Amino acid sequence: MLQTQIITIPILPFGMVNAHLIRGEAGCVLIDAGIPGSERKIGRVLAKNGLTFRDIKLIVVTHVHTDHAGSAAQVRALSGAPILAHQDDADFYSRKEPMTYCATSWFGKLFLKTPVPHEPYEGFVPDIMMTNGHAVNLLDFGVDGVVKHTAGHTPGSIAVELSSQDMMVGDLIASGILIGGMIRKGRAIRPPFEDDPATVSRELIRMVESGGKHFHMSHGGPLEAGEVLRHARALAKLESDSCASGKCAHQHHKPFPASKSSS
């Protein structure tokens, strides 16, 4: 088994936005690329760990929101590494369609009124395009793990499941006050936006039941399996809203199918 190191890259203070570098024996995989302009912060963390952009073998973008995909094109240009993402978010990555957001709370609704979620970034076409039911083995990129489709936060959300039982889940879950924050980081919350809580619940439960123990996310965390399971079970009890049922005004939303990622 390859030994892996998870290096957190703080994009914004207090754990409000994180990217992660997975360092294996034969290479590094970058999980998310932060907001536009984050390549400078990523470069500083690489240098601190004796690495350069050329040590990145793959860029995994967990979903299309600007705090995850904002610097992906720039990091690809600096590293030469391919971008891996899912086809169900492809039209948003390429800027063919504008991104839409399903607020989960008053904070999400208020956050939507700020320019932050709408900050534009350089569009791109992923080099490796995942499809439904498709899993990508990361051994070819120097890391012992697999990438799976975990729809729910957005249609094309994906997560990295490492053999070390660490789960890199993007925005499937968050923690702390509001997002990230300085307190209650061990308490799971919904992120500000979420398309389908029922699908998120199924994916989180699947990951726990398949052996996931440590969950690393973009806002706050990390969280242990017991807290993730508590949150997932609470999500399962929520009534489907108009976004999850496909009855909202967002053109890209359709009823979410049962997950195929465990196949």
Side-chain angles (χ1 to χ4, degrees):
M1 181 185 300
L2 294 177
Q3 296 298 312
T4 57
Q5 177 187 10
I6 298 172
I7 301 169
T8 300
I9 303 174
I11 303 298
L12 292 180
F14 309 124
M16 292 178 64
V17 177
N18 300 312
H20 294 90
L21 187 71
I22 312 303
R23 185 176 189 176
E25 292 181 356
C28 296
V29 173
L30 179 68
I31 312 297
D32 288 325
I35 59 176
S38 295
E39 63 271 14
R40 292 184 293 275
K41 293 182 178 179
I42 294 169
R44 286 197 291 268
V45 172
L46 286 167
K48 184 178 179 180
N49 287 275
L51 302 166
T52 71
F53 278 101
R54 288 294 170 178
D55 290 302
I56 298 174
K57 305 305 180 186
L58 180 69
I59 303 160
V60 176
V61 182
T62 61
H63 63 284
V64 72
H65 292 162
T66 190
D67 54 332
H68 298 260
S71 296
Q74 289 75 18
V75 174
R76 177 170 63 182
L78 290 166
S79 66
I83 295 173
L84 168 66
H86 196 277
Q87 68 171 4
D88 286 354
D89 278 356
D91 286 346
F92 307 124
Y93 288 125
S94 66
R95 322 309 288 171
K96 181 179 179 180
E97 292 186 16
M99 189 61 218
T100 54
Y101 300 87
C102 303
T104 59
S105 66
W106 65 267
F107 174 72
K109 293 176 182 178
L110 183 64
F111 194 33
L112 273 179
K113 295 181 180 181
T114 73
V116 177
H118 312 287
E119 187 174 4
Y121 59 82
E122 182 180 340
F124 59 87
V125 175
D127 303 282
I128 305 173
M129 193 83 79
M130 291 183 65
T131 58
N132 292 337
H134 175 210
V136 175
N137 194 317
L138 294 179
L139 284 174
D140 290 340
F141 303 98
V143 169
D144 195 355
V146 64
V147 184
K148 292 187 178 182
H149 184 207
T150 51
H153 181 66
T154 67
S157 291
I158 56 179
V160 176
E161 304 180 19
L162 298 173
S163 63
S164 60
Q165 299 177 307
D166 290 282
M167 307 286 116
M168 319 301 298
V169 298
D171 279 4
L172 286 186
I173 196 169
S175 76
I177 297 297
L178 301 182
I179 54 173
M182 293 180 286
I183 61 175
R184 300 196 75 184
K185 287 190 175 184
R187 179 75 172 179
I189 61 171
R190 297 176 74 186
F193 315 113
E194 185 175 78
D195 282 7
D196 185 357
T199 299
V200 171
S201 173
R202 287 196 300 269
E203 289 297 332
L204 290 174
I205 291 172
R206 176 190 61 77
M207 282 188 271
V208 171
E209 292 181 344
S210 66
K213 290 186 177 180
H214 314 291
F215 288 71
H216 305 261
M217 66 279 301
S218 300
H219 307 296
L223 294 171
E224 300 305 304
E227 176 61 13
V228 172
L229 191 58
R230 180 203 63 78
H231 177 75
R233 287 170 175 166
L235 281 183
K237 297 177 182 178
L238 296 179
E239 293 184 5
S240 293
D241 56 23
S242 59
C243 291
S245 64
K247 296 178 181 178
C248 63
H250 300 155
Q251 293 183 0
H252 77 278
H253 288 172
K254 300 177 182 179
F256 277 64
S259 172
K260 297 180 180 179
S261 60
S262 59
S263 61

